[in-house]
Amino acid sequence: MGWASWNHFFCDYNDQTIRDQADALVSTGMRDLGYRYVLIQECLTSGREADGSLIVDAKRFPHGMKDLVDYVHARGLKAGTYTDVGEYTCAGKPYQGSYRHEDQDAATFAGWGMDFVEMDYCNRPHETTGRAIYERMAEAIRKTGRPMLFYICSWGNESPWTWAQDTAQLWRTESDISGEKNRVQWDNVVGNFESSARHAVFSAPNSWNDPDMMEVGTPGLTPTEAQTHFSMWAISAAPLWAGNDLAQMDAATRGLYTNAEAIAVDQDPLGAGPVQLREYSAGIEVWMKPLGALGSGVQAVLLVNLASVPAEAAVEWSDLALTGKAQVRDLWAHKDLGEFREAYKTLLPAHGSVLLKVTGEFDWARGTTYEAEWPGNLRAGNASLLPCPECSHGYAVSLRGPANGAQGSSLRFTHIVVPRSGRFYANVVYVYSGEANNTVQVRVNQAQPADVKLPGAIYGSVRIPVDLQQGENSIEFRFTAAGTVDIDRLTVTR
Ligand code: GAL
């Protein structure tokens, strides 16, 4: 969470602008709600010395970069800088990208005291991939010894959510939310939200999909649309970057950025992304995000009216796998709305929404599904992500036998939280098991592993009894035979 300079200022800013925004993060109370990073994007470095070291634009930063970063740090904030995979950034000459200067630039950023690095995708050299440069930069950052978060801004190119968990902590999923300075269009807000949501299965702690810096408070949105925008980012577990001028914002905009209950949805420790449920009617979308754990019975729900006329919207408890009644809280009104049977229904203005917290009893007879590819799971040995069109969310994890490594490979499903200790059933869905009878070792928590046969199949499933304990559990699949088993998902029922 933080503030980023580009959306409002483009390159029309200087040292004082950044200091003013840092001060505003403090005076508005935003810092204390979690907005910690001040990200200076673009037009920073106007050339290189003969030895290749970066020259900070002296007109814009008359006191140098270190002095400005010290100012930011003195306010209990963190500082972020910007570079590019190319020789020059998106703003073009003379602004410097880090291509072939990764080590030197990372060391410079660390020397300035930076805590965060964004790397953009303009002017990508054709002789290599963006991925190779991002991986080089990540390594260069590691070598500095200074903890700096790394943000891959490839606008969704090269699908970083599928490979960058060891490289970066966040990545852009789409092109810019606006091509215009300090102006935005509603359709782009919706477009960036929906496009980011397509990768929701890869949302986890330190694996964040970024639909772009927010345009809350930017001209072009009605107050209703701005609130929906913030709610969309919150239910996406998106990085919350304010992209407006914090020193000038009105009370309504400030109210949107400082809703602690909406922020808590965004920052929920599970880190789950948004799940789209059945559309209520044309243009009435229903989104949910499990809070705490899958199957906790607690979830955020966003009802959105994308149509241009007021319309009714509803969420049904059966779509949330809840049984009986559920409690509903409105996170913008800060109000408990009471207990509801079966569904919650409301009227939404055009482009309006409600962000709810719904708490009920999870239906363990239906169970909860854990995707193999979720980055919170642990892969070891030769386990690897496998694109799989027929799998849920399009991916499986492939376990390959010892021909590819003495230990074979394993996948540990984590964060399997159940309400009480006892017998549960884990239904494992696998996409491919090449041999007639592949045997995997299944280990629940610290118990002795048990052999389970996965009959040869293109798309099969096996139901395994598992004794789980109240609270958090893990279930590991280890494969040490010759051949391959590809695991799609696990559904845990009682
Ligand atoms: C874009 C990037 C923006 C901003 C801008 C600066 O490519 O997505 O976040 O950094 O470049 O030129």
Side-chain angles (χ1 to χ4, degrees):
M1 296 170 68
W3 173 84
S5 62
W6 177 255
N7 285 3
H8 186 86
F9 291 103
F10 277 37
C11 286
D12 300 329
Y13 73 96
N14 58 28
D15 171 283
Q16 192 57 50
T17 319
I18 303 300
R19 290 176 199 243
D20 291 346
Q21 299 301 315
D23 288 344
L25 278 171
V26 179
S27 65
T28 56
M30 287 175 71
R31 176 196 64 190
D32 295 340
L33 284 163
Y35 295 89
R36 288 284 154 76
Y37 287 82
V38 176
L39 175 57
I40 313 167
Q41 296 170 288
E42 270 292 10
C43 304
L44 295 138
T45 49
S46 54
R48 291 186 185 272
E49 304 283 6
D51 69 356
S53 56
L54 288 166
I55 300 171
V56 172
D57 184 332
K59 271 217 239 87
R60 202 179 299 278
F61 303 103
H63 316 291
M65 197 56 80
K66 177 86 172 58
D67 191 80
L68 177 55
V69 170
D70 287 347
Y71 185 92
V72 169
H73 284 164
R75 273 140 198 84
L77 297 163
K78 291 177 180 291
T81 189
Y82 165 94
T83 185
D84 190 277
V85 296
E87 192 178 344
Y88 298 101
T89 70
C90 300
K93 270 186 186 165
Y95 301 108
Q96 304 291 305
S98 291
Y99 187 50
R100 294 207 171 113
H101 289 276
E102 295 85 358
D103 284 330
Q104 196 174 18
D105 289 0
T108 300
F109 300 156
W112 290 339
M114 288 294 175
D115 308 290
F116 185 101
V117 179
E118 167 180 359
M119 197 179 213
D120 218 333
Y121 197 72
C122 285
N123 313 309
R124 180 177 68 76
H126 291 301
E127 64 270 22
T128 180
T129 59
R131 176 173 178 173
I133 303 168
Y134 286 120
E135 287 177 341
R136 227 157 42 222
M137 193 65 187
E139 187 48 32
I141 288 174
R142 230 168 273 144
K143 279 190 290 196
T144 68
R146 183 171 175 85
M148 295 187 275
L149 297 184
F150 189 37
Y151 171 42
I152 293 178
C153 188
S154 65
W155 324 308
N157 287 293
E158 304 186 33
S159 309
W161 46 89
T162 63
W163 53 265
Q165 280 77 13
D166 294 328
T167 303
Q169 293 74 38
L170 61 162
W171 34 81
R172 178 74 69 73
T173 47
E174 247 309 327
S175 13
D176 287 11
I177 193 166
S178 176
E180 270 178 285
K181 183 178 158 212
N182 192 29
R183 179 133 212 114
V184 69
Q185 288 177 25
W186 166 249
D187 287 349
N188 289 5
V189 172
V190 177
N192 275 37
F193 163 62
E194 297 198 330
S195 136
S196 184
R198 286 199 273 279
H199 317 298
V201 74
F202 294 104
S203 179
N206 287 317
S207 175
W208 305 115
N209 293 315
D210 178 35
D212 202 354
M213 286 78 192
M214 288 182 285
E215 295 279 20
V216 170
T218 297
L221 300 182
T222 66
T224 300
E225 290 167 342
Q227 180 175 312
T228 298
H229 174 6
F230 194 92
S231 298
M232 285 172 166
W233 264 235
I235 205 147
S236 301
L240 297 180
W241 295 104
N244 62 328
D245 180 355
L246 299 178
Q248 306 289 335
M249 73 179 152
D250 57 27
T253 301
R254 176 174 167 178
L256 295 178
Y257 279 121
T258 57
N259 178 349
E261 293 193 78
I263 292 172
V265 167
D266 181 80
Q267 298 284 310
D268 179 74
L270 179 65
V275 182
Q276 187 170 14
L277 305 177
R278 213 153 40 89
E279 230 181 13
Y280 178 69
S281 60
I284 307 300
E285 295 190 350
V286 184
W287 295 85
M288 82 89 138
K289 171 178 163 35
L291 300 177
L294 302 187
S296 63
V298 187
Q299 47 264 302
V301 171
L302 177 66
L303 300 176
V304 195
N305 178 7
L306 295 179
S308 46
V309 289
E312 189 184 74
V315 52
E316 292 180 22
W317 295 171
S318 64
D319 287 343
L320 298 174
L322 298 180
T323 59
K325 297 182 202 148
Q327 313 282 339
V328 179
R329 180 169 174 81
D330 183 323
L331 301 184
W332 286 105
H334 304 296
K335 212 172 133 206
D336 288 326
L337 301 179
E339 198 171 59
F340 293 81
R341 238 172 233 292
E342 286 171 21
Y344 174 77
K345 219 176 246 182
T346 188
L347 197 69
L348 297 175
H351 301 175
S353 57
V354 282
L355 182 64
L356 308 169
K357 185 173 181 176
V358 180
T359 307
E361 195 179 326
F362 187 75
D363 184 358
W364 279 97
R366 260 169 71 180
T368 186
T369 295
Y370 305 88
E371 292 296 332
E373 67 271 25
W374 187 56
N377 295 332
L378 302 171
R379 288 181 224 154
N382 288 298
S384 60
L385 185 73
L386 179 78
C388 163
E390 62 273 28
C391 293
S392 50
H393 301 278
Y395 289 91
V397 168
S398 186
L399 301 182
R400 280 169 297 155
N404 308 293
Q407 293 298 308
S409 36
S410 66
L411 169 67
R412 187 186 302 165
F413 288 86
T414 67
H415 291 82
I416 299 177
V417 176
V418 294
R420 61 185 100 103
S421 302
R423 173 56 53 98
F424 287 77
Y425 296 90
N427 194 62
V428 57
V429 176
Y430 55 95
V431 220
Y432 175 69
S433 149
E435 312 304 315
N437 262 320
N438 270 326
T439 298
V440 289
Q441 285 91 56
V442 179
R443 186 179 198 208
V444 179
N445 299 323
Q446 303 307 315
Q448 277 302 313
D451 282 356
V452 172
K453 276 187 178 170
L454 303 183
I458 297 297
Y459 205 81
S461 75
V462 165
R463 188 167 179 259
I464 311 163
V466 288
D467 291 321
L468 301 180
Q469 39 183 266
Q470 182 180 359
E472 197 155 329
N473 297 268
S474 68
I475 301 179
E476 182 180 85
F477 292 80
R478 179 175 292 275
F479 184 57
T480 52
T484 309
V485 170
D486 300 332
I487 296 185
D488 178 9
R489 62 180 189 268
L490 191 68
T491 298
V492 174
T493 56
R494 187 137 65 196

